[in-house]
Amino acid sequence: MAGRDLSSTPLAQLHIAELDPQDRIAKHFRLYELTVSETADRQRIDNRIGSDEVLRSAVNLAREVLDPIREAYGSFTPNSVYRCQALERALKGRPSSWLSTSQHTLGWACDVEIVALPTLELAQWAATNLAQFDQIICECHDPAKGPNSGWVHISLVPPGAGRNRRQMLSYVVDAASGRLVYVNGLQSSEG
C-alpha cells in the first residue's frame, strides 16, 4: 500500500476523514509518521489526529520543519509530533481530568534526535537553517551522558494562528538545585 502523494496539496484541501495513514503529506513524510508513539502503542491509546485543524498544523510542521531536517541529515523518525490529550496524560503521569497545553496537542511541535549527530549541534542547525520556527528547545542535553543525550523540541505556529517567536531555550539541570529548568539560549547542562 503506497498511499497517495499529497505533498503538494494545499493545507486547506486536506481533510483527516479522507486520508490514509500511508498518504505522503510532505515531501519526505507519510501521515502515520506524525502520530507514531511507542507509549500510545503499549498503553493502547488511540493517537490518531482528530480534526482538520490539527491535521493541517501537523502537515505544515512536517513540510516546513521535518522535511528540511530529513533533506539535511537523511532518514530519521521523529520521537514525537502529534500527541493527543490521553497520550499527554500518560507521558506526564497526570489524572484524566488534566488538559495539556503542549504544542504537541495542536500538531504544532515535534521532538527530534538524529543518530550520531550531537543534540546541541542539531538545535543550532535548526536555529540557523529553518526559515521559520516558534521555539527550539534543547531538552535534557547533558554532555556527561554523551553528545547525543536529550532531544530537540521544535515548534511552528501554523499560518493564520499568530506569529512565530523564534525563541531559543534549553531545558537543563540547574547546577545549584539539581532540578530541570528552562534557560535562554541553546546550551547543555553544566557538570
Side-chain angles (χ1 to χ4, degrees):
M1 213 178 350
R4 298 170 294 167
D5 184 355
L6 304 173
S7 60
S8 298
T9 302
L11 294 174
Q13 293 177 17
L14 295 174
H15 302 283
I16 193 65
E18 299 170 359
L19 297 182
D20 181 275
Q22 291 294 327
D23 287 341
R24 184 172 303 282
I25 45 75
K27 185 175 179 184
H28 301 290
F29 285 87
R30 296 185 183 277
L31 178 60
Y32 78 86
E33 293 178 275
L34 306 183
T35 61
V36 170
S37 167
E38 291 178 12
T39 300
D41 289 345
R42 275 194 306 274
Q43 296 189 23
R44 298 184 183 180
I45 296 169
D46 182 354
N47 193 47
R48 287 180 291 187
I49 294 172
S51 75
D52 289 346
E53 180 181 4
V54 172
L55 168 71
R56 292 169 186 155
S57 296
V59 169
N60 182 62
L61 180 80
R63 292 175 179 178
E64 300 297 326
V65 172
L66 295 172
D67 269 351
I69 295 172
R70 219 174 235 181
E71 287 171 3
Y73 294 106
S75 186
F76 72 94
T77 300
N79 296 0
S80 181
V81 182
Y82 172 71
R83 296 195 302 239
C84 68
Q85 288 290 337
L87 179 55
E88 276 286 293
R89 287 190 285 273
L91 289 168
K92 296 177 180 170
R94 297 298 188 123
S96 61
S97 60
W98 180 77
L99 289 178
S100 174
T101 58
S102 169
Q103 290 179 315
H104 287 280
T105 65
L106 303 171
W108 292 15
C110 58
D111 292 338
V112 179
E113 293 177 78
I114 307 279
V115 174
L117 178 67
T119 304
L120 192 55
E121 188 177 319
L122 174 59
Q124 292 165 337
W125 179 92
T128 302
N129 292 283
L130 293 177
Q132 53 184 336
F133 62 87
D134 185 50
Q135 288 183 315
I136 295 175
I137 307 174
C138 189
E139 296 197 60
C140 302
H141 178 57
D142 182 352
K145 295 179 181 176
N148 294 78
S149 70
W151 60 91
V152 179
H153 169 98
I154 306 171
S155 64
L156 178 67
V157 176
R163 68 175 187 81
N164 285 294
R165 296 172 285 179
R166 297 191 63 84
Q167 186 177 46
M168 291 175 273
L169 301 168
S170 294
Y171 189 55
V172 295
V173 175
D174 176 64
S177 69
R179 300 180 72 150
L180 285 166
V181 296
Y182 286 98
V183 296
N184 286 320
L186 300 174
Q187 56 189 295
S188 304
S189 291
E190 296 298 322

